[in-house]
Amino acid sequence: MVVARRFDLVLRGYRVAGRPQTVDIAVSDGIIAAITESLDGGGDVEVAVGGRLVAPAFVQPHIHLDKVGTLPLLGENRTGTLAEAIEILHRTKRAGTPEEISERAGVVIRQAVLAGTTIIRTHVDVDTIGGLSPLRGVVRAAREHADLCDVQIVAFPQEGILRDPGTLELMDQAMREGATVVGGMPHWESSPDDSARHVEACLDLAQRYDADVDMHVDETDDADSRTLAMLVEATARRGWGGRVTAGHCCAMAAWEDGYAADVIMDAVAAGVMFVTNPATNLLLQGRADREPRRRGLPRVKEMLRAGAVVACGQDCVQDGFYPFGAADPLQTALILCHAAQLSLPAEIDHALESISGAAARVLGLEGYGVDPGCFADLVVLDADDPHEALRLTAPRRWVIRRGSVIAETDVRTSLLRSEGHRVHGERPHRIS
Ligand SMILES: [Zn+2]
């Protein structure tokens, strides 16, 4: 007699990208045990809604959870510039307590989970203005949401290291109090020599703690900002490839074409990965330009053609830099498509990859994907295929983490026609 197998969770009749048939997905001990067209066995929990799309849960590779939701606490940014935004932020940073920071961070963690995210990499400011309060606030929020989401914390010297003496010691302490990744902001130093010292200090710290590095790099319109090349060279020299990420890289938009191509090629060879944050950077960069106006984005198409890992982050949610943001990776990927002009099918695939597989590589995740043996971190999208999910920023019907359903969204809309006909259950904006 054959006894049907029992699983912790079974998803019935789902669609997986690249498969013509709907499938059943079985999960045991938080791992995908089987994906098959007709599963032999049942689950302690069964979820059955035919034909929806299952994708790996989204990965948020770049956000600032210590700053989210600070906009109502700030005065007005009269010039709309990055410089004034930073000045205003100092005041809020000085006043922030771990309790208050944790509350704001928690709101956005929960939004991110509802949007299908089960792991977040967040930068937190480490400097002599706020000390370790931002870190302690975000650590607290991460602990309070440990049942919903993993949070990787980057010790981020927002004010510079040489410009703000004492910061390196605080970063060292942050690595002992919950940060696991070393951040950086080398272009914020006062000279190219200091920028180079900043890069070396961050890599020293990372190697001492056997940690990954994730720096804010060249977040400026200045064509002379060339700290990406410094980071790439130091990564290659120290053999830290595969563990280093360069975020923002806005100056690349201002660089001369040949120089940009060389640095991109060197970055790929050195194993330096990229995170672009199109929403914030489209809003903040190029403000001093008359037309044509630079978009302030890295050269995403050229990076992809060179074989680079390119992830896409939210960066900011309702703070002094950016008044919008929903911690929704589909929204940021859609913005990326417009900003970087990704419109061909393979390019749209890259945009989706930037919030999933590529972001997972930046975070160093193992067992990521919708395949047997992968962790059962999944999002069920109210769409037939990934491109439709992106086009409609489709509702996240269910979010699953390690085999447990941790969030659900039930969208119900009705057309009220003059004849009195009522149509239930249509997807928002969907024309069929
Ligand atoms: Zn950032």
Side-chain angles (χ1 to χ4, degrees):
M1 187 180 86
V2 179
V3 178
R5 207 174 147 193
R6 197 83 198 151
F7 300 96
D8 297 334
L9 172 71
V10 170
L11 307 174
R12 294 215 186 258
Y14 286 86
R15 200 169 293 283
V16 175
R19 286 181 182 245
Q21 307 292 332
T22 58
V23 294
D24 299 338
I25 300 175
V27 178
S28 280
D29 298 323
I31 307 284
I32 297 174
I35 300 179
T36 171
E37 281 163 28
S38 61
L39 186 72
D40 184 19
D44 293 341
V45 176
E46 295 247 350
V47 184
V49 176
R52 283 194 173 87
L53 179 72
V54 170
F58 300 131
V59 175
Q60 175 56 257
H62 187 125
I63 195 167
H64 295 259
L65 286 178
D66 54 332
K67 297 191 182 89
V68 295
T70 48
L71 187 61
L73 311 175
L74 305 170
E76 190 192 351
N77 186 339
R78 291 175 309 278
T79 59
T81 58
L82 181 68
E84 188 179 348
I86 289 172
E87 186 188 308
I88 294 169
L89 274 172
H90 286 183
R91 287 202 298 271
T92 318
K93 192 150 58 176
R94 236 171 246 122
T97 63
E99 294 74 18
E100 181 262 338
I101 292 163
S102 159
E103 249 173 62
R104 285 188 284 99
V107 170
V108 173
I109 292 173
R110 294 192 292 278
Q111 277 176 342
V113 170
L114 283 165
T117 307
T118 55
I119 182 160
I120 293 171
R121 176 179 279 188
T122 178
H123 297 251
V124 299
D125 284 16
V126 176
D127 51 54
T128 62
I129 299 169
L132 294 178
S133 290
L135 174 83
R136 289 170 184 154
V138 172
V139 165
R140 177 189 292 221
R143 281 202 197 112
E144 285 170 359
H145 295 83
D147 58 324
L148 297 176
C149 188
D150 291 314
V151 178
Q152 281 187 5
I153 299 178
V154 185
F156 171 47
Q158 165 91 72
E159 312 300 333
I161 291 176
L162 288 98
R163 273 175 63 157
D164 185 26
T167 292
L168 196 57
E169 293 72 17
L170 285 168
M171 289 172 74
D172 197 302
Q173 201 179 330
M175 296 302 288
R176 285 177 269 126
E177 285 199 28
T180 56
V181 181
V182 175
M185 179 101 161
H187 62 281
W188 200 241
E189 300 291 357
S190 307
S191 69
D193 282 350
D194 282 359
S195 296
R197 286 190 200 105
H198 180 123
V199 168
E200 298 300 332
C202 294
L203 282 160
D204 283 346
L205 188 62
Q207 293 193 300
R208 200 167 340 124
Y209 283 95
D210 190 21
D212 288 0
V213 173
D214 192 335
M215 290 197 194
H216 284 58
V217 176
D218 299 330
E219 192 182 358
T220 165
D221 295 318
D222 181 1
D224 292 330
S225 186
R226 301 195 162 191
T227 63
L228 177 57
M230 293 176 189
L231 178 62
V232 167
E233 187 278 323
T235 302
R237 171 165 35 83
R238 292 165 179 258
W240 218 239
R243 304 195 63 177
V244 175
T245 298
H248 291 287
C249 303
C250 308
M252 203 186 275
W255 288 347
E256 186 269 318
D257 292 343
Y259 175 72
D262 287 348
V263 177
I264 290 169
M265 197 175 63
D266 292 347
V268 172
V272 173
M273 299 173 279
F274 293 98
V275 177
T276 179
N277 299 291
T280 306
N281 288 141
L282 275 178
L283 203 73
L284 289 178
Q285 305 304 135
R287 288 205 169 226
D289 292 351
R290 297 176 75 87
E291 304 301 342
R293 188 179 294 265
R294 283 168 290 183
R295 296 177 178 220
L297 247 63
R299 299 172 182 234
V300 172
K301 284 194 191 197
E302 285 148 83
M303 286 148 63
L304 291 170
R305 268 200 298 273
V309 175
V310 182
C312 175
Q314 171 71 64
D315 201 25
C316 304
V317 174
Q318 218 197 0
D319 64 15
F321 299 92
Y322 185 73
F324 311 112
D328 181 347
L330 278 182
Q331 187 188 74
T332 46
L334 191 59
I335 292 171
L336 176 65
C337 288
H338 292 75
Q341 299 176 329
L342 306 179
S343 56
L344 299 174
E347 293 172 340
I348 298 169
D349 288 344
H350 277 302
L352 288 160
E353 186 70 4
S354 76
I355 54 169
S356 50
R361 286 184 66 185
V362 164
L363 269 68
L365 305 185
E366 302 201 339
Y368 180 83
V370 187
D371 286 305
C374 290
F375 287 115
D377 288 5
L378 304 167
V379 56
V380 179
L381 295 148
D382 205 351
D384 292 334
D385 64 69
H387 290 201
E388 186 190 59
L390 183 63
R391 179 173 70 85
L392 300 176
T393 53
R396 301 341 106 85
R397 186 67 185 89
W398 287 285
V399 184
I400 293 149
R401 177 170 178 261
R402 302 293 146 106
S404 297
V405 181
I406 57 165
E408 64 177 349
T409 297
D410 195 358
V411 177
R412 184 187 176 91
T413 58
S414 301
L415 284 175
L416 305 175
R417 289 171 160 166
S418 56
E419 304 94 316
H421 293 302
R422 190 173 281 224
V423 182
H424 290 291
E426 286 201 358
R427 292 170 187 163
H429 318 302
R430 186 160 193 256
I431 302 163
S432 54

Short mmCIF file of all heavy atoms in Angstrom, two decimals, residues 140-166:
data_model
loop_
_atom_site.label_atom_id
_atom_site.label_comp_id
_atom_site.label_asym_id
_atom_site.label_seq_id
_atom_site.Cartn_x
_atom_site.Cartn_y
_atom_site.Cartn_z
N ARG A 140 15.84 46.94 17.06
CA ARG A 140 14.62 46.64 17.83
C ARG A 140 13.46 46.30 16.87
O ARG A 140 12.74 45.32 17.08
CB ARG A 140 14.25 47.86 18.68
CG ARG A 140 12.96 47.67 19.45
CD ARG A 140 12.54 48.96 20.10
NE ARG A 140 13.46 49.33 21.17
CZ ARG A 140 13.07 49.83 22.34
NH1 ARG A 140 11.79 50.05 22.58
NH2 ARG A 140 13.93 50.15 23.25
N ALA A 141 13.29 47.11 15.83
CA ALA A 141 12.22 46.84 14.86
C ALA A 141 12.43 45.48 14.19
O ALA A 141 11.47 44.72 13.98
CB ALA A 141 12.18 47.94 13.81
N ALA A 142 13.67 45.16 13.87
CA ALA A 142 13.96 43.87 13.22
C ALA A 142 13.58 42.72 14.14
O ALA A 142 12.97 41.73 13.71
CB ALA A 142 15.44 43.80 12.85
N ARG A 143 13.92 42.84 15.43
CA ARG A 143 13.57 41.78 16.39
C ARG A 143 12.05 41.63 16.51
O ARG A 143 11.52 40.53 16.56
CB ARG A 143 14.14 42.12 17.77
CG ARG A 143 15.60 41.79 17.88
CD ARG A 143 16.04 41.62 19.33
NE ARG A 143 17.50 41.70 19.38
CZ ARG A 143 18.16 42.69 19.96
NH1 ARG A 143 17.52 43.65 20.59
NH2 ARG A 143 19.49 42.71 19.93
N GLU A 144 11.36 42.78 16.54
CA GLU A 144 9.90 42.73 16.71
C GLU A 144 9.19 42.14 15.50
O GLU A 144 8.03 41.75 15.58
CB GLU A 144 9.36 44.15 16.98
CG GLU A 144 9.66 44.61 18.40
CD GLU A 144 9.36 46.09 18.62
OE1 GLU A 144 8.93 46.77 17.65
OE2 GLU A 144 9.57 46.57 19.74
N HIS A 145 9.89 42.10 14.36
CA HIS A 145 9.27 41.56 13.15
C HIS A 145 9.98 40.31 12.65
O HIS A 145 9.85 39.94 11.48
CB HIS A 145 9.24 42.64 12.06
CG HIS A 145 8.37 43.80 12.40
ND1 HIS A 145 8.79 44.83 13.21
CD2 HIS A 145 7.06 44.06 12.11
CE1 HIS A 145 7.79 45.70 13.37
NE2 HIS A 145 6.74 45.24 12.72
N ALA A 146 10.71 39.66 13.54
CA ALA A 146 11.51 38.50 13.12
C ALA A 146 10.64 37.35 12.62
O ALA A 146 11.11 36.49 11.88
CB ALA A 146 12.39 38.04 14.28
N ASP A 147 9.35 37.34 13.00
CA ASP A 147 8.45 36.30 12.50
C ASP A 147 7.99 36.56 11.07
O ASP A 147 7.44 35.67 10.42
CB ASP A 147 7.22 36.19 13.42
CG ASP A 147 6.47 37.52 13.51
OD1 ASP A 147 7.12 38.59 13.52
OD2 ASP A 147 5.23 37.49 13.57
N LEU A 148 8.19 37.78 10.59
CA LEU A 148 7.69 38.16 9.26
C LEU A 148 8.79 38.35 8.23
O LEU A 148 8.59 38.14 7.04
CB LEU A 148 6.91 39.48 9.34
CG LEU A 148 5.63 39.51 10.17
CD1 LEU A 148 5.07 40.92 10.20
CD2 LEU A 148 4.59 38.55 9.59
N CYS A 149 9.96 38.81 8.68
CA CYS A 149 10.93 39.33 7.72
C CYS A 149 12.33 39.31 8.31
O CYS A 149 12.51 39.57 9.50
CB CYS A 149 10.53 40.78 7.40
SG CYS A 149 11.43 41.55 6.06
N ASP A 150 13.32 38.98 7.49
CA ASP A 150 14.71 39.12 7.92
C ASP A 150 15.19 40.53 7.56
O ASP A 150 14.79 41.07 6.52
CB ASP A 150 15.61 38.10 7.21
CG ASP A 150 15.32 36.69 7.69
OD1 ASP A 150 15.22 36.50 8.91
OD2 ASP A 150 15.17 35.79 6.85
N VAL A 151 16.04 41.08 8.40
CA VAL A 151 16.58 42.42 8.13
C VAL A 151 18.10 42.38 8.27
O VAL A 151 18.62 42.03 9.33
CB VAL A 151 15.99 43.47 9.11
CG1 VAL A 151 16.59 44.84 8.85
CG2 VAL A 151 14.46 43.52 9.00
N GLN A 152 18.78 42.69 7.19
CA GLN A 152 20.25 42.86 7.22
C GLN A 152 20.56 44.33 7.43
O GLN A 152 20.02 45.18 6.73
CB GLN A 152 20.88 42.46 5.87
CG GLN A 152 21.04 41.00 5.64
CD GLN A 152 21.83 40.75 4.34
OE1 GLN A 152 22.33 41.67 3.68
NE2 GLN A 152 21.93 39.48 3.96
N ILE A 153 21.45 44.63 8.37
CA ILE A 153 21.73 46.03 8.69
C ILE A 153 23.13 46.43 8.23
O ILE A 153 24.11 45.75 8.53
CB ILE A 153 21.56 46.28 10.20
CG1 ILE A 153 20.11 45.98 10.61
CG2 ILE A 153 21.95 47.71 10.56
CD1 ILE A 153 19.83 46.15 12.09
N VAL A 154 23.18 47.53 7.51
CA VAL A 154 24.44 48.09 7.01
C VAL A 154 24.82 49.29 7.87
O VAL A 154 24.02 50.22 8.02
CB VAL A 154 24.29 48.57 5.54
CG1 VAL A 154 25.63 49.03 4.98
CG2 VAL A 154 23.66 47.49 4.66
N ALA A 155 26.04 49.29 8.42
CA ALA A 155 26.53 50.44 9.19
C ALA A 155 27.00 51.50 8.19
O ALA A 155 28.03 51.35 7.54
CB ALA A 155 27.68 50.00 10.09
N PHE A 156 26.22 52.58 8.10
CA PHE A 156 26.38 53.54 6.99
C PHE A 156 26.89 54.89 7.50
O PHE A 156 26.16 55.61 8.19
CB PHE A 156 25.00 53.69 6.32
CG PHE A 156 24.92 54.79 5.30
CD1 PHE A 156 25.90 54.97 4.33
CD2 PHE A 156 23.83 55.66 5.30
CE1 PHE A 156 25.80 55.99 3.40
CE2 PHE A 156 23.73 56.68 4.38
CZ PHE A 156 24.73 56.84 3.42
N PRO A 157 28.11 55.27 7.13
CA PRO A 157 28.65 56.56 7.58
C PRO A 157 28.16 57.72 6.71
O PRO A 157 28.90 58.27 5.91
CB PRO A 157 30.16 56.36 7.44
CG PRO A 157 30.31 55.41 6.28
CD PRO A 157 29.08 54.52 6.32
N GLN A 158 26.91 58.08 6.92
CA GLN A 158 26.26 59.11 6.08
C GLN A 158 27.02 60.44 6.07
O GLN A 158 26.97 61.19 5.11
CB GLN A 158 24.82 59.33 6.59
CG GLN A 158 24.12 60.58 6.09
CD GLN A 158 23.31 60.35 4.82
OE1 GLN A 158 22.28 59.72 4.84
NE2 GLN A 158 23.80 60.88 3.71
N GLU A 159 27.72 60.74 7.16
CA GLU A 159 28.40 62.03 7.26
C GLU A 159 29.87 61.96 6.86
O GLU A 159 30.62 62.91 7.05
CB GLU A 159 28.28 62.57 8.69
CG GLU A 159 26.87 62.52 9.28
CD GLU A 159 25.86 63.32 8.46
OE1 GLU A 159 26.27 64.29 7.80
OE2 GLU A 159 24.67 62.96 8.49
N GLY A 160 30.29 60.83 6.31
CA GLY A 160 31.70 60.64 5.99
C GLY A 160 32.44 60.04 7.16
O GLY A 160 31.91 59.96 8.28
N ILE A 161 33.65 59.61 6.91
CA ILE A 161 34.47 59.03 7.99
C ILE A 161 35.57 60.02 8.38
O ILE A 161 35.73 60.35 9.56
CB ILE A 161 35.07 57.68 7.54
CG1 ILE A 161 33.95 56.63 7.41
CG2 ILE A 161 36.14 57.20 8.52
CD1 ILE A 161 34.38 55.29 6.89
N LEU A 162 36.28 60.56 7.38
CA LEU A 162 37.32 61.54 7.71
C LEU A 162 36.70 62.89 8.07
O LEU A 162 37.24 63.63 8.89
CB LEU A 162 38.31 61.69 6.55
CG LEU A 162 39.20 60.45 6.44
CD1 LEU A 162 38.70 59.49 5.38
CD2 LEU A 162 40.64 60.82 6.21
N ARG A 163 35.54 63.19 7.48
CA ARG A 163 34.86 64.46 7.77
C ARG A 163 34.20 64.45 9.14
O ARG A 163 33.82 65.50 9.65
CB ARG A 163 33.77 64.72 6.71
CG ARG A 163 34.28 65.43 5.48
CD ARG A 163 33.19 65.53 4.44
NE ARG A 163 32.06 66.32 4.91
CZ ARG A 163 31.21 66.94 4.08
NH1 ARG A 163 31.37 66.85 2.77
NH2 ARG A 163 30.21 67.63 4.56
N ASP A 164 33.99 63.27 9.67
CA ASP A 164 33.26 63.15 10.94
C ASP A 164 34.05 62.23 11.89
O ASP A 164 33.70 61.07 12.07
CB ASP A 164 31.86 62.59 10.67
CG ASP A 164 30.99 62.55 11.91
OD1 ASP A 164 31.22 63.37 12.83
OD2 ASP A 164 30.08 61.71 11.97
N PRO A 165 35.15 62.78 12.46
CA PRO A 165 36.01 61.93 13.30
C PRO A 165 35.22 61.27 14.43
O PRO A 165 34.36 61.90 15.05
CB PRO A 165 37.04 62.92 13.85
CG PRO A 165 37.05 64.05 12.88
CD PRO A 165 35.63 64.15 12.36
N GLY A 166 35.53 60.01 14.67
CA GLY A 166 34.79 59.23 15.67
C GLY A 166 33.84 58.22 15.02
O GLY A 166 33.40 57.26 15.65
#
